[in-house]
């Protein structure tokens, strides 16, 4: 399953907002330095979907806020 994620790094709290079946906004406390925010997005999505982090891959958008994420 592919989902579209808008990442909000350096947020006050970690949270996932679901807009519809495939569009999500993920706020993370981590800053976008050396991939820390991307790792935090994967971790929070894994908790949200109750799956392992290894089942989540960022396909596109590793250097921008708009991301396409694949969930196995």
């Amino acid at each position: 399953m592919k989902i579209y994620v808008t990442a909000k790094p350096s947020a006050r709290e970690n949270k996932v907002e679901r807009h519809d079946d495939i569009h999500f906004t993920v706020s993370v406390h981590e800053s976008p330095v050396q991939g820390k925010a991307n790792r935090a997005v994967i971790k929070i999505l894994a908790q949200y979907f109750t799956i392992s982090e290894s089942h989540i891959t960022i396909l596109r958008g590793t250097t921008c806020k708009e991301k396409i994420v694949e969930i196995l």
Side-chain angles (χ1 to χ4, degrees):
M1 170 172 90
K2 290 183 184 176
I3 62 171
Y4 298 91
V5 173
T6 301
K8 291 189 175 182
S10 302
R12 291 181 184 236
E13 62 180 341
N14 295 331
K15 65 179 179 178
V16 176
E17 296 176 40
R18 182 178 185 156
H19 302 291
D20 58 34
D21 289 341
I22 59 169
H23 293 92
F24 293 84
T25 300
V26 179
S27 301
V28 294
H29 183 69
E30 300 294 330
S31 61
V33 177
Q34 296 178 348
K36 290 180 183 178
N38 285 334
R39 287 190 295 273
V41 165
I42 290 172
K43 182 177 180 179
I44 290 171
L45 285 173
Q47 291 172 354
Y48 181 81
F49 288 109
T50 60
I51 58 173
S52 173
E53 291 179 28
S54 63
H55 291 118
I56 299 176
T57 306
I58 298 176
L59 297 177
R60 292 193 181 182
T62 56
T63 60
C64 62
K65 293 182 180 183
E66 302 296 325
K67 303 177 185 307
I68 298 175
V69 178
E70 183 176 36
I71 300 174
L72 302 175

